[in-house]
Amino acid sequence: ASLKIFDHEHKSMQVLPLILNMAAEDEAKAAKKKATIEEMEAQAVDKAKATADNSFRPSNAVLNAATAAPLLAAVDGPSLQTYEGKESVYVGRAVPVKAGGKLEIPINVTTPGSVVEYAVELPTYDIDISIQAERDEGITIVKEMGRLKAAESPLTQKFLVGAVPCIVQFLFSNEYSWMREKVISYKITVTPPSADSLTAGRRRRATACLDAVKTDLETAQTRLDAAQSQKAKLQEEVAQMIKLLEEKKKAWQVAEKEEQWLSARTALRQEQVSLLLSRLEDGWPDEKKQMDEKKEG
């Protein structure tokens, strides 16, 4: 009996390390799987950053700026000398959204290549959610307005912000419900890129920006050539018009003098005609006097 008990205890002592080894193997597999997922996510983020940087184009406000400083600021991003790369976390717990109301959460992102991760939890009722990125050149829809069901929470997603400055606007809408107040909890984390990633990103943006600037330069040069040609043509036409105007002015002065001379001449001739007609019809004054004297004699 004692031998059987010993055997039982001995077997139990053998099973326990086996269970511990299996648990350790499971943990190792889980850790490996997690590391694989994290590596895949990191690769996806790096690929998205490269895609965003390679398609970077300065906004019209930057291209139309009077100096080169705004363009360089958009390409360079933050200074590496003062760059810390710290996460920014925005948390709201059990935040009420009244019936027929909405909750807006604006997040300012200033570093290109930042990853925004958000987690939303609904303890009871559904709510509508949308996300959009607002920049100088316009608005980008990150997540269209849609219903987030409580059964599907917590919702956790992440996205990349390539161009900055950018306001990421989270909107939780309860406007469709006029009876129930909703409660949400959220956590929004903005993770800026590492210094190495920032360095690589600014080089990619500089290359893409150089192409955009060269293209705009070619367009501007073509328009400049056309404007200069048009200006030269107009200058020549204006010079011809000025010359013609001077000639017309001289002709006008000649005509004005002739008008004055002819006005005086016609006035004189009219007076002469009147006097001659008067003599022919009424006689000459001196003839009338002689006739009067003869009558008296």
Side-chain angles (χ1 to χ4, degrees), residues 25-159:
E25 289 177 0
D26 290 341
E27 289 181 1
K29 289 180 180 179
K32 185 177 180 180
K33 183 177 180 181
K34 181 180 179 182
T36 301
I37 293 174
E38 291 177 349
E39 183 179 357
M40 292 176 63
E41 287 184 350
Q43 290 175 353
V45 169
D46 289 341
K47 184 177 180 180
K49 288 180 181 178
T51 301
D53 291 335
N54 291 332
S55 60
F56 172 78
R57 188 184 185 281
S59 66
N60 290 331
V62 170
L63 286 175
N64 294 331
T67 66
L71 185 139
L72 294 179
V75 171
D76 296 349
S79 172
L80 293 176
Q81 294 179 347
T82 57
Y83 185 64
E84 296 181 350
K86 292 183 178 179
E87 288 185 346
S88 298
V89 182
Y90 307 84
V91 178
R93 294 186 177 88
V95 180
V97 183
K98 65 181 181 180
K102 60 184 179 180
L103 172 66
E104 293 180 323
I105 306 172
I107 305 295
N108 187 25
V109 182
T110 58
T111 305
S114 295
V115 175
V116 179
E117 182 176 3
Y118 63 95
V120 182
E121 186 173 359
L122 304 175
T124 52
Y125 302 110
D126 306 345
I127 199 167
D128 286 346
I129 177 175
S130 70
I131 307 170
Q132 63 184 24
E134 301 173 359
R135 303 183 181 87
D136 291 338
E137 59 269 29
I139 296 176
T140 301
I141 303 300
V142 178
K143 183 179 180 64
E144 292 185 356
M145 180 69 73
R147 188 68 47 85
L148 173 59
K149 297 181 179 180
E152 298 173 352
S153 73
L155 170 68
T156 302
Q157 293 179 339
K158 61 178 65 176
F159 57 90

Side-chain angles (χ1 to χ4, degrees), residues 50-294:
T51 301
D53 291 335
N54 291 332
S55 60
F56 172 78
R57 188 184 185 281
S59 66
N60 290 331
V62 170
L63 286 175
N64 294 331
T67 66
L71 185 139
L72 294 179
V75 171
D76 296 349
S79 172
L80 293 176
Q81 294 179 347
T82 57
Y83 185 64
E84 296 181 350
K86 292 183 178 179
E87 288 185 346
S88 298
V89 182
Y90 307 84
V91 178
R93 294 186 177 88
V95 180
V97 183
K98 65 181 181 180
K102 60 184 179 180
L103 172 66
E104 293 180 323
I105 306 172
I107 305 295
N108 187 25
V109 182
T110 58
T111 305
S114 295
V115 175
V116 179
E117 182 176 3
Y118 63 95
V120 182
E121 186 173 359
L122 304 175
T124 52
Y125 302 110
D126 306 345
I127 199 167
D128 286 346
I129 177 175
S130 70
I131 307 170
Q132 63 184 24
E134 301 173 359
R135 303 183 181 87
D136 291 338
E137 59 269 29
I139 296 176
T140 301
I141 303 300
V142 178
K143 183 179 180 64
E144 292 185 356
M145 180 69 73
R147 188 68 47 85
L148 173 59
K149 297 181 179 180
E152 298 173 352
S153 73
L155 170 68
T156 302
Q157 293 179 339
K158 61 178 65 176
F159 57 90
L160 176 71
V161 177
V164 295
C166 172
I167 301 294
V168 178
Q169 192 75 253
F170 287 82
L171 173 62
F172 298 95
S173 176
N174 194 28
E175 294 174 305
Y176 68 91
S177 176
W178 292 94
M179 298 295 292
R180 287 194 176 96
E181 179 182 83
K182 308 296 175 62
V183 176
I184 68 168
S185 295
Y186 64 85
K187 179 180 180 181
I188 303 170
T189 305
V190 180
T191 304
S194 64
D196 291 340
S197 179
L198 189 64
T199 300
R202 60 168 44 161
R203 280 166 172 73
R204 288 191 296 262
R205 288 192 300 276
T207 301
C209 186
L210 183 61
D211 292 338
V213 171
K214 284 183 177 179
T215 300
D216 190 74
L217 174 60
E218 292 176 359
T219 303
Q221 187 63 55
T222 301
R223 293 178 61 185
L224 175 60
D225 293 342
Q228 289 175 337
S229 176
Q230 180 72 3
K231 177 185 175 183
K233 181 180 178 181
L234 291 173
Q235 282 180 331
E236 183 179 353
E237 291 178 359
V238 169
Q240 292 175 353
M241 293 175 67
I242 291 175
K243 182 179 179 181
L244 180 61
L245 180 62
E246 290 296 328
E247 293 174 354
K248 295 292 184 181
K249 186 176 181 181
K250 290 178 180 179
W252 171 73
Q253 292 173 344
V254 171
E256 185 179 34
K257 289 180 180 181
E258 187 174 6
E259 179 192 25
Q260 293 174 354
W261 180 77
L262 290 172
S263 294
R265 190 178 185 85
T266 55
L268 175 61
R269 293 294 180 262
Q270 288 173 352
E271 181 184 5
Q272 290 171 339
V273 168
S274 177
L275 291 173
L276 289 171
L277 288 174
S278 175
R279 279 167 168 71
L280 291 172
E281 293 175 357
D282 301 330
W284 277 254
D286 58 345
E287 291 179 353
K288 289 182 180 180
K289 186 176 180 182
Q290 286 183 350
M291 289 178 65
D292 291 342
E293 287 177 352
K294 286 180 179 182

